[in-house]
Amino acid sequence: MGIARCWQSAGGRDHGNIGLDNGESGGEKEEERVFSGAVCRQHLLHLYTSITSLIFASRRPSPPPTDLLRLSSRRLVWATKAQSLTTMATDDCVGTVKGQIAKLFEVSLKVTVPNEPDVEPLVAACNGKFGDYQCNNAMGLWSKIKGKGAPFRGPPAVGEAIKNNLPTSEMIESCSVAGPGFVNVVLSKDWMAKSIQKMLIEGIDKWAPLPPVKTAVVDFSSPNIAKEMHVGHLRSTIIGDTLARMLEFSKVKVLRRNHVGDWGTQFGMLIEFLFEKFPNFEDATETAIGDLQAFYKASKQRFDADPAFKERAQQAVVRLQGGEDKYRRAWAQICEISRNEFHKVYQRLGVHLEEKGESFYNPYIPGVIETLTKQGLVEESQGARVIFIEGVNIPLIVVKSDGGFNYASTDLSALWYRLNEEKAEWIIYVTDVGQQQHFDMFFKAAKRAGWLPHGDSSYPRASHVGFGLVLGEDGKRFRTRNTEVVRLVDLLDEAKSRSKAALIERGKGEEWTEEEIESTAEAVGYGAVKYADLKNNRLTNYTFNFDQMLNDKGNTAVYLLYAHARICSIIRRSGKDIEELKNKGTLVLGHKDERDLGLHLLQFAEVVEEACTNLLPNVLCDYLYNLSEIFSKFYSNPECKVIGSDMETSRLLLCEATAVVMRKCFNLLGITPIYKI
């Protein structure tokens, strides 16, 4: 098969910035320019999902058809009660602020409309004009209870009742009702300050959202054996790693799967070419073979031009699949050389995966196909065996006309394994949007088999995370001048080289050690490449441009990393022990700009929740950039002077809280923070 999971993908935008100067000087050299201008807070989506129980009996690793058949009888196991992504807070996590507010409104709704069970509170963040959060249940409730003798005369009255029935809470400073019953909530500044200071003492993990899943598979990167990783693999690797990091932060056990293309007919020609070039093939090293991409191309040219070689290659496939030792060892050697090449990329990106390639699932395919056939799903069509999908005019081929297996056969077997053996409740596939139809058909086939529930709001769940193309400045797929795809390792090395050159140009070669320059160049260079990708909606194409992504102005990783370093510099220049201040000082949000910053910090968990729910890393990037903007507004205000002011301790704590949240954002995006510039 050897079909790579990812191909290519996705647009950049830039924002201006303003200067920073609130009268502080001395200590370490500071740049005049820091954080940027306009502040906008994202409206968070209020999404509800169903929580389910995945109940599978313990089985042996091999998949007998009898075990597979049991799956079809479990369609009714799944619970259908809906609930929001974030559940009740635990001793380890407080959950999101929105979730805590929703719990208060849940109590109120039960009192307000006792005869309407299972009413979910509809809570969303506001734009700040009327409040911090808003409950939007009144209009929907009125349409349900109107004419049933309810003691209300319209949505505003329902809203008033919801407000009046709210339990007392230290979280809430005030409530009001606006328009057709919208209940606006203003958070208590004291509660906000205490919550932020508690996070500083206990750690930001306390702010992790709490999804209703325990185990998830993230299937990403997935290059083909014997082919170079190129820019087309960039998006799958970066996006998949960030999704895995966000889920891991949310206390989900994540199985990071590298579904490499390590099986299929192309290995016959590769093995036969290896035998021809290196009679003592076990002595063939990575250095001897050289460029794997060139090796693959040469073997393909030989396969197409030489009928005798082609016949030997086809026989080699039979011998490999038959388990003949010599061919298995040659296959394993080719795979290992490829893995070493892949590792160079993963090491630079700081990405960790566990390989379970196509060959791993190959032994499971016959049992899966047999069971699906007994269920009546697999039918004969023009010599092939297929599954017909309602609403699609082409079938899903699971056995080719020559009897061979394909992409769909492997994916069905991998899904079976992930549900039954790995007990995954959410399986996420990160590939280019061009494979959307395949995954739609594959998921529908799994639902017909009873492996997945019908509907997309229940668990276990399978999701395809599609992404667009990486384009060159000519608007076409990003390639080298000789039309070759760009090797990913070369691209990353170029980013680091440019970043290092910029540091030397700024005089850091005389101020810093070589180790400091190297580590900073890597953090900035690799971080710039990642952020330029992740800040865009993954479904869009984006133009790869080193000058834009390495710019220290606007919405770039360089700007944000420098912003974090400057906050760290502010704390250092104060001369205060920040750890001591966390325990002995007191955080106060007295000024409006302090409160705005505090509110944005508290909404971090909601942003991670939204990004996870919708599988959109750009949501987190938007939050991070807005955080730097809001901090700039606070720090640039002469009324919020930090060092030397009466409120120095409190404002240093607010600086530290901002740095902590920025570092966690960097961590979730796979970017290494820097602490000085």
Side-chain angles (χ1 to χ4, degrees):
M1 288 169 45
I3 302 174
R5 285 281 191 194
C6 66
W7 305 72
Q8 272 232 37
S9 210
R13 68 176 183 276
D14 199 19
H15 298 272
N17 66 342
I18 59 174
L20 164 66
D21 181 10
N22 77 342
E24 297 173 12
S25 61
E28 300 179 26
K29 182 179 178 182
E30 291 292 315
E31 299 284 338
E32 287 291 325
R33 180 181 26 72
V34 180
F35 316 94
S36 327
V39 177
C40 73
R41 215 164 61 230
Q42 296 288 317
H43 280 280
L44 301 181
L45 300 175
H46 188 72
L47 300 171
Y48 287 84
T49 59
S50 316
I51 190 168
T52 61
S53 298
L54 182 61
I55 306 175
F56 291 125
S58 176
R59 299 186 177 88
R60 298 186 301 275
S62 58
T66 51
D67 283 346
L68 285 165
L69 283 170
R70 293 192 189 113
L71 286 170
S72 63
S73 67
R74 292 206 168 115
R75 298 184 186 208
L76 302 179
V77 169
W78 297 299
T80 57
K81 178 175 172 58
Q83 68 174 44
S84 71
L85 179 63
T86 296
T87 57
M88 286 287 287
T90 67
D91 291 338
D92 295 326
C93 298
V94 296
T96 67
V97 174
K98 184 172 71 173
Q100 295 175 67
I101 294 289
K103 290 300 174 184
L104 297 175
F105 277 104
E106 186 177 344
V107 173
S108 173
L109 288 166
K110 287 179 179 177
V111 175
T112 304
V113 283
N115 296 324
E116 296 293 330
D118 300 324
V119 178
E120 291 287 343
L122 303 177
V123 176
C126 296
N127 61 13
K129 183 176 180 181
F130 298 106
D132 302 318
Y133 289 87
Q134 189 177 81
C135 176
N136 302 323
N137 285 87
M139 290 182 69
L141 275 179
W142 174 246
S143 66
K144 286 185 176 182
I145 64 179
K146 183 171 55 176
K148 294 183 180 180
F152 307 112
R153 293 191 175 183
V158 177
E160 286 289 346
I162 293 172
K163 183 195 79 170
N164 294 335
N165 289 325
L166 270 174
T168 302
S169 170
E170 65 171 345
M171 291 182 68
I172 298 177
E173 183 174 296
S174 65
C175 287
S176 61
V177 178
F182 299 132
V183 183
N184 296 307
V185 174
V186 176
L187 295 177
S188 160
K189 289 187 291 186
D190 290 343
W191 177 84
M192 292 169 62
K194 289 177 183 176
S195 298
I196 294 170
Q197 189 155 0
K198 186 176 182 182
M199 178 276 289
L200 286 174
I201 295 170
E202 298 181 357
I204 197 169
D205 285 353
K206 290 284 185 177
W207 281 5
L210 305 169
V213 295
K214 293 181 179 178
T215 304
V217 169
V218 182
D219 179 329
F220 67 105
S221 192
S222 308
N224 279 326
I225 292 294
K227 290 187 177 181
E228 293 275 9
M229 286 186 73
H230 54 75
V231 71
H233 297 101
L234 179 67
R235 300 212 76 185
S236 178
T237 305
I238 291 173
I239 293 169
D241 181 54
T242 293
L243 294 177
R245 286 170 179 266
M246 291 192 297
L247 288 167
E248 287 161 348
F249 173 63
S250 304
K251 314 303 181 188
V252 176
K253 177 184 178 183
V254 178
L255 305 178
R256 295 160 162 260
R257 293 290 176 254
N258 199 3
H259 190 104
V260 297
D262 66 348
W263 200 248
T265 55
Q266 80 276 19
F267 278 94
M269 71 180 190
L270 289 168
I271 290 170
E272 200 58 37
F273 196 66
L274 181 68
F275 290 163
E276 189 174 277
K277 291 290 182 182
F278 302 95
N280 299 320
F281 70 90
E282 289 180 300
D283 296 331
T285 62
E286 182 178 340
T287 303
I289 289 177
D291 187 338
L292 272 174
Q293 189 79 14
F295 185 83
Y296 185 94
K297 284 184 177 181
S299 66
K300 182 68 167 65
Q301 288 171 356
R302 188 74 193 281
F303 182 86
D304 292 338
D306 187 337
F309 178 85
K310 182 175 183 178
E311 184 176 345
R312 293 199 305 274
Q314 291 169 339
Q315 286 300 312
V317 174
V318 175
R319 293 179 175 183
L320 171 64
Q321 295 180 347
E324 195 168 321
D325 182 61
K326 177 182 177 182
Y327 290 83
R328 282 280 181 166
R329 285 186 285 116
W331 168 77
Q333 187 167 358
I334 293 170
C335 290
E336 187 59 29
I337 292 171
S338 281
R339 287 190 194 101
N340 293 337
E341 288 297 310
F342 299 159
H343 179 68
K344 294 175 183 177
V345 173
Y346 297 140
Q347 188 176 40
R348 285 165 171 77
L349 291 174
V351 172
H352 305 283
L353 298 104
E354 181 182 355
E355 183 181 312
K356 273 190 167 64
E358 293 170 345
S359 64
F360 178 86
Y361 303 106
N362 198 61
Y364 295 84
I365 295 176
V368 170
I369 301 300
E370 181 182 349
T371 299
L372 294 174
T373 302
K374 289 181 178 179
Q375 288 182 257
L377 271 68
V378 179
E379 304 176 40
E380 295 285 337
S381 176
Q382 299 180 15
R385 300 173 68 188
V386 306
I387 298 175
F388 287 99
I389 306 297
E390 185 177 353
V392 183
N393 58 9
I394 57 172
L396 183 70
I397 300 173
V398 294
V399 182
K400 296 184 292 185
S401 56
D402 63 3
F405 300 128
N406 63 358
Y407 202 14
S409 337
T410 304
D411 275 341
L412 284 166
S413 300
L415 179 61
W416 180 92
Y417 185 89
R418 289 162 176 178
L419 289 170
N420 290 276
E421 301 299 335
E422 295 179 323
K423 303 295 188 289
E425 297 152 282
W426 198 2
I427 301 97
I428 298 165
Y429 300 82
V430 187
T431 78
D432 67 289
V433 292
Q435 299 186 51
Q436 182 67 55
Q437 185 182 53
H438 164 77
F439 282 99
D440 285 346
M441 294 174 69
F442 157 46
F443 294 161
K444 287 175 180 175
K447 290 175 182 178
R448 281 193 63 193
W451 300 358
L452 299 173
H454 290 281
D456 297 323
S457 60
S458 300
Y459 293 96
R461 179 188 302 176
S463 302
H464 176 234
V465 176
F467 53 82
L469 298 172
V470 180
L471 304 177
E473 293 185 44
D474 59 359
K476 299 178 181 179
R477 284 178 184 260
F478 188 37
R479 297 180 183 275
T480 61
R481 289 183 179 177
N482 61 359
T483 74
E484 295 288 334
V485 293
V486 180
R487 294 173 71 242
L488 194 45
V489 70
D490 293 340
L491 182 148
L492 294 171
D493 288 348
E494 174 71 9
K496 177 186 173 182
S497 175
R498 289 182 179 226
S499 176
K500 183 176 179 179
L503 290 171
I504 299 297
E505 187 179 333
R506 294 173 65 172
K508 301 304 177 184
E510 299 174 4
E511 300 176 23
W512 293 0
T513 65
E514 182 63 24
E515 184 180 352
E516 287 176 324
I517 290 175
E518 286 292 317
S519 62
T520 303
E522 286 186 2
V524 174
Y526 301 159
V529 172
K530 289 186 177 186
Y531 190 81
D533 186 309
L534 294 169
K535 73 176 183 180
N536 300 288
N537 185 304
R538 57 177 168 77
L539 294 172
T540 65
N541 300 336
Y542 84 93
T543 301
F544 193 97
N545 183 300
F546 275 122
D547 291 336
Q548 288 182 7
M549 65 178 60
L550 290 168
N551 196 333
D552 61 2
K553 303 178 182 67
N555 189 11
T556 66
V558 183
Y559 167 73
L560 293 167
L561 287 166
Y562 285 4
H564 170 263
R566 290 182 181 105
I567 295 174
C568 295
S569 174
I570 292 166
I571 296 170
R572 286 195 300 269
R573 286 192 293 115
S574 74
K576 300 295 175 64
D577 183 341
I578 198 66
E579 295 303 318
E580 183 178 342
L581 295 186
K582 289 178 186 179
N583 292 287
K584 295 183 179 180
T586 302
L587 179 61
V588 179
L589 301 175
H591 192 278
K592 180 184 181 299
D593 289 348
E594 293 173 319
R595 189 186 186 283
D596 288 346
L597 179 55
L599 178 62
H600 196 74
L601 292 171
L602 286 165
Q603 290 176 333
F604 167 71
E606 295 161 31
V607 171
V608 177
E609 176 187 89
E610 181 189 348
C612 284
T613 303
N614 300 316
L615 303 170
L616 290 172
N618 65 290
V619 171
L620 182 61
C621 294
D622 290 343
Y623 172 86
L624 175 58
Y625 180 67
N626 287 335
L627 176 58
S628 72
E629 299 285 83
I630 295 169
F631 181 87
S632 174
K633 186 170 182 286
F634 149 74
Y635 188 74
S636 299
N637 190 331
E639 297 178 7
C640 295
K641 183 180 179 182
V642 179
I643 299 176
S645 72
D646 293 341
M647 301 300 295
E648 180 180 276
T649 295
S650 173
R651 289 170 182 162
L652 284 172
L653 289 172
L654 195 53
C655 289
E656 174 68 6
T658 303
V660 167
V661 173
M662 288 187 79
R663 283 195 289 274
K664 178 49 69 173
C665 289
F666 288 139
N667 173 261
L668 298 180
L669 296 171
I671 296 172
T672 302
I674 61 174
Y675 293 83
K676 68 176 186 176
I677 52 173

